[in-house]
Amino acid sequence: MTKPRKPLLRTLTLALSMVMLSPAQACGPDFPMTLLDHRGLVMAALPEGTFSFEARHLLEPGTAAFKVVESGPWSDPEEARLSAEKTGLSDAQIEAVAAMRLSASADAALALGAELPPDLARYTAGAVAWQLGDVERARSLFEQVLQLPPEQRTLRGVWASYMLGRALALNGEPAQAIAAFEQTRTWVQNGAADPDGLAVASLGEQARIELEAGRLAAAVRLYAEQAAYGSSSGNNSLLFVVRTAIADSAAVDALLADEVGTRLLLAYLYTRYNELTDADPDEEYP
């Protein structure tokens, strides 16, 4: 591991010390025994925080009641998808969608879904095309859903907007992809059903576009907003971003120029400062 940059550590330590001088409530009464056994060493070191907690509080969550739907380490993402896909559908519609999902082509899926509402049939056929790797056909079908009148895309309008954003991003059309992700959140904020948590997921997808374009501060703000809703994906992305940025002086400068970026650097220093040292791992208090 490379040595940390001294100016960066001095800057962040000074900023963190200013934050810690503000009034704070004491915790207790069950303090760890190390506070008594090694008071000098403990008081001379930074208190250790939890990055996931700090990441969730870089920004206040938005006023929209977005839900987070993420698979845990022991859960089956396919099961979660199937559960969300059944929301708001009749038993007959659930059976038809399941049959469409097994189709060998988008056209075959459309034929099976001829009796379904148009947004449900076209979105599901688009999902089949996506799974088969036919991104252009999937994009066309998702766009067809969005072209329907609002009253005819209540079942899959949000889903189609989100997946269109992914297709556009994959096709190298970042501005249009961002517009699709923002539209996804707007529709959910205005009351559209979102059983699969796509509004929150769209924040991460949009952040990835900003990151790939070199707009680090913009990406961090989107990931921070995602994390503020309780997204583990947003948390993990923030840690990945700051770990990468800390080794690049230009990236550090970009974060320091932004309020949320500065908070992210401070959170990293506060909770992961041991990653910045080459201390002996056998030393009790490095």
Side-chain angles (χ1 to χ4, degrees):
M1 182 181 294
T2 58
K3 296 283 187 182
R5 296 191 307 121
K6 300 298 184 183
L8 168 64
L9 288 177
R10 284 198 295 269
T11 301
L12 294 181
T13 302
L14 176 60
L16 183 58
S17 67
M18 296 299 293
V19 172
M20 294 176 65
L21 286 174
S22 60
Q25 294 182 346
C27 300
D30 300 318
F31 295 102
M33 289 299 294
T34 51
L35 289 180
L36 302 177
D37 295 341
H38 307 282
R39 288 188 63 185
L41 290 170
V42 170
M43 298 305 291
L46 284 170
E48 185 173 353
T50 304
F51 184 84
S52 60
F53 176 86
E54 301 299 333
R56 287 197 303 271
H57 294 84
L58 292 174
L59 283 176
E60 291 293 326
T63 56
F66 294 158
K67 64 185 293 186
V68 176
V69 179
E70 295 177 346
S71 300
W74 307 110
S75 59
D76 182 358
E78 181 66 10
E79 184 177 329
R81 181 191 65 78
L82 289 172
S83 176
E85 201 165 59
K86 294 175 182 178
T87 302
L89 304 186
S90 67
D91 290 343
Q93 289 173 337
I94 291 171
E95 284 187 22
V97 168
M100 290 179 70
R101 284 282 190 173
L102 298 175
S103 299
S105 69
D107 289 336
L110 280 173
L112 289 174
E115 301 300 320
L116 292 175
D119 66 330
L120 181 58
R122 293 173 194 178
Y123 171 80
T124 305
V128 169
W130 180 272
Q131 289 298 320
L132 294 173
D134 189 350
V135 176
E136 281 305 310
R137 179 69 166 134
R139 170 183 174 170
S140 173
L141 287 161
F142 297 146
E143 286 175 335
Q144 289 178 36
V145 174
L146 302 186
Q147 290 164 3
L148 293 169
E151 65 275 10
Q152 293 183 27
R153 49 174 161 78
T154 57
L155 291 173
R156 291 295 184 265
V158 167
W159 300 45
S161 182
Y162 173 79
M163 288 303 299
L164 178 60
R166 292 187 63 190
L168 289 166
L170 197 61
N171 200 41
E173 301 177 66
Q176 295 88 332
I178 288 173
F181 291 134
E182 290 177 344
Q183 177 178 255
T184 300
R185 296 193 293 276
T186 297
W187 284 355
V188 175
Q189 188 168 4
N190 290 340
D194 185 22
D196 213 22
L198 299 180
V200 172
S202 73
L203 290 165
E205 294 290 341
Q206 186 173 334
R208 185 184 309 176
I209 294 173
E210 299 288 1
L211 198 60
E212 290 175 352
R215 297 186 288 266
L216 184 58
V220 164
R221 283 180 173 267
L222 287 162
Y223 282 136
E225 187 177 352
Q226 187 183 23
Y229 282 107
S231 166
S232 296
S233 177
N235 265 322
N236 294 338
S237 296
L238 285 169
L239 183 55
F240 172 82
V241 166
V242 74
R243 275 177 170 162
T244 304
I246 210 77
D248 181 352
S249 60
V252 170
D253 290 341
L255 291 179
L256 287 173
D258 179 75
E259 181 182 356
V260 179
T262 300
R263 289 183 200 161
L264 176 61
L265 287 169
L266 291 174
Y268 178 78
L269 178 62
Y270 173 42
T271 63
R272 316 289 297 200
Y273 63 92
N274 282 333
E275 295 183 13
L276 295 171
T277 71
D278 289 322
D280 182 350
D282 295 327
E283 187 180 345
E284 187 173 3
Y285 285 95

